[in-house]
Amino acid sequence: MSLHQPEIAESRPKPLQGLLGGIGIALSVHSLLVLNGSVLGVSGFVHRSLRGDKAAMASVVGLVLGGVAVGIIGDVGTPVPHTTSLLLRMVFSGLLVGIGAKLANGCTSSHMICGLSRFSLRSLVATATFFASAIATTHFAHGNDVLGTSGSLDWTLGDNQERQFLGAILCLGTLWFAYTCSTLKNGTGNSSKLVSRKIHSSANLVPNTLQSILQYLASFLTSLAFAFSLRLGNMVDPHKVLAFLTLPLSSAFDLTLAFVAANALPLATLLYRYARVEQPKLGGKWNIPTSTKIDCRLILGSVIFGIGWGIAGVCPGPALVNFGRSLYAGIGFAEYAVWLLSMSFGGLLVK
């Protein structure tokens, strides 16, 4: 795919890819929650990794290497926004997304998927706000000349897409297999209680080290699976994101991302409601946002985030995946490197 392609004539929605991508996203989100007690919020991973948080670093590395793996599998084309003045738009988009995500304490993954699945009113307000802002920005900044038109539904998986789904399942299967093996080795069916005792024991440092390794592995593999799922659901394609944000008001409207949400949200909600645990299975404390405060900071941050999202069709998770793909493919590196640097800088500007 050319970096300088000025427009797309036709884009076909891909329901099956979206539905399978949604399954992978929900399973990745739930696995990280159950094992580490953490929310799969990519903007938070980026901001915390800059402060030296090792688990967040493992998640960021997982997303980037997931992008590399996507390229190795055979999908080497790195989608970039089809806009003029691309680098300038990427700088502006990344800066606004970074500022907005920090102010609102979340992005599409943490608010729209994780938050809504927990019935968080705060996340509902944030999601509605940044979607409205992104839709308005997309209509203002883009048009059919850039986004083209939407064609008939394509129910095929396409080339190599089944490998993306298998990659996600393999990552999560490996993670749960490692957890099960550690449980059997410790001779207990409730490893989270065992972990809790060992963490407070200064006499046995080896199990604590093993537990830390497993926690980092959980962060890494859930992000790796999340990366495969984002690619499968076409969320890494800025054109499809922007075409979705036009809504049926435009001939460019692409339903693919609606199918992603149609599977990801209900499944994540059901898993959170019926498959929760009393405490993280790998020990430690819950790291789930508890604030219910809906204030100007949340609203303003969501509006700014939505503007940044609508400018380029890029948000933190897909940006990291596409950056990884660019490392392998050699296409789009400057655009996504600039976007990520701008996003990181934007987050640093907010206290």
Side-chain angles (χ1 to χ4, degrees):
M1 180 179 293
S2 172
L3 290 178
H4 307 291
Q5 184 177 347
E7 62 182 48
I8 296 227
E10 183 181 76
S11 174
R12 298 183 64 188
K14 301 178 179 180
L16 183 57
Q17 293 181 24
L19 291 169
L20 291 177
I23 292 174
I25 287 171
L27 292 177
S28 302
V29 165
H30 186 69
S31 294
L32 185 63
L33 180 69
V34 169
L35 293 173
N36 279 8
S38 300
V39 168
L40 205 159
V42 181
S43 62
F45 293 158
V46 174
H47 296 319
R48 292 199 302 275
S49 65
L50 294 175
R51 300 197 302 267
D53 186 306
K54 293 180 181 178
M57 290 179 184
S59 295
V60 169
V61 170
L63 285 162
V64 173
L65 290 185
V68 174
V70 164
I72 292 173
I73 284 174
D75 182 22
V76 297
T78 304
V80 297
H82 294 272
T83 62
T84 57
S85 305
L86 183 57
L87 277 177
L88 182 60
R89 284 179 180 256
M90 293 296 270
V91 169
F92 196 40
S93 170
L95 184 66
L96 292 179
V97 166
I99 293 172
K102 193 68 174 290
L103 284 171
N105 194 32
C107 57
T108 48
S109 57
S110 51
H111 276 311
M112 187 173 72
I113 302 299
C114 300
L116 292 185
S117 67
R118 302 194 312 271
F119 300 106
S120 167
L121 180 59
R122 178 180 166 86
S123 288
L124 177 61
V125 171
T127 301
T129 303
F130 66 62
F131 253 106
S133 176
I135 289 167
T137 302
T138 301
H139 279 278
F140 177 78
H142 308 281
N144 288 345
D145 289 341
V146 174
L147 299 178
T149 58
S150 181
S152 59
L153 298 181
D154 178 4
W155 285 93
T156 66
L157 266 180
D159 295 338
N160 300 312
Q161 289 295 68
E162 71 280 356
R163 298 181 185 178
Q164 312 294 345
F165 187 68
L166 290 175
I169 297 303
L170 180 61
C171 290
L172 296 177
T174 300
L175 174 59
W176 281 99
F177 178 75
Y179 163 72
T180 302
C181 288
S182 68
T183 302
L184 294 175
K185 181 178 179 180
N186 289 326
T188 175
N190 191 343
S191 65
S192 60
K193 293 183 179 179
L194 178 67
V195 169
S196 180
R197 291 197 299 270
K198 287 182 176 179
I199 285 177
H200 293 88
S201 172
S202 60
N204 195 345
L205 298 179
V206 175
N208 288 351
T209 301
L210 175 61
Q211 205 60 43
S212 295
I213 292 174
L214 287 174
Q215 288 173 340
Y216 295 145
L217 184 66
S219 295
F220 173 76
L221 287 178
T222 51
S223 287
L224 193 61
F226 193 68
F228 283 122
S229 302
L230 288 176
R231 174 61 192 97
L232 178 57
N234 289 273
M235 293 192 68
V236 299
D237 187 341
H239 170 262
K240 284 198 174 291
V241 174
L242 293 173
F244 172 71
L245 290 173
T246 63
L247 299 186
L249 300 172
S250 168
S251 60
F253 179 57
D254 189 313
L255 275 167
T256 304
L257 269 63
F259 286 98
V260 175
N263 250 11
L265 279 174
L267 181 55
T269 301
L270 289 172
L271 289 171
Y272 180 76
R273 182 170 180 82
Y274 297 109
R276 279 185 290 179
V277 292
E278 292 183 2
Q279 67 181 96
K281 287 185 175 293
L282 291 178
K285 299 179 180 179
W286 288 109
N287 188 24
I288 299 176
T290 57
S291 174
T292 58
K293 188 176 182 181
I294 299 173
D295 54 11
C296 291
R297 182 183 174 99
L298 176 70
I299 302 297
L300 177 61
S302 299
V303 169
I304 294 173
F305 177 90
I307 294 173
W309 191 26
I311 287 173
V314 179
C315 59
L320 287 168
V321 175
N322 282 337
F323 177 71
R325 293 171 77 186
S326 74
L327 292 176
Y328 178 80
I331 301 172
F333 173 81
E335 288 77 8
Y336 286 105
V338 162
W339 194 95
L340 288 168
L341 287 173
S342 300
M343 180 219 162
S344 301
F345 179 69
L348 293 174
L349 292 177
V350 179
K351 297 296 183 180

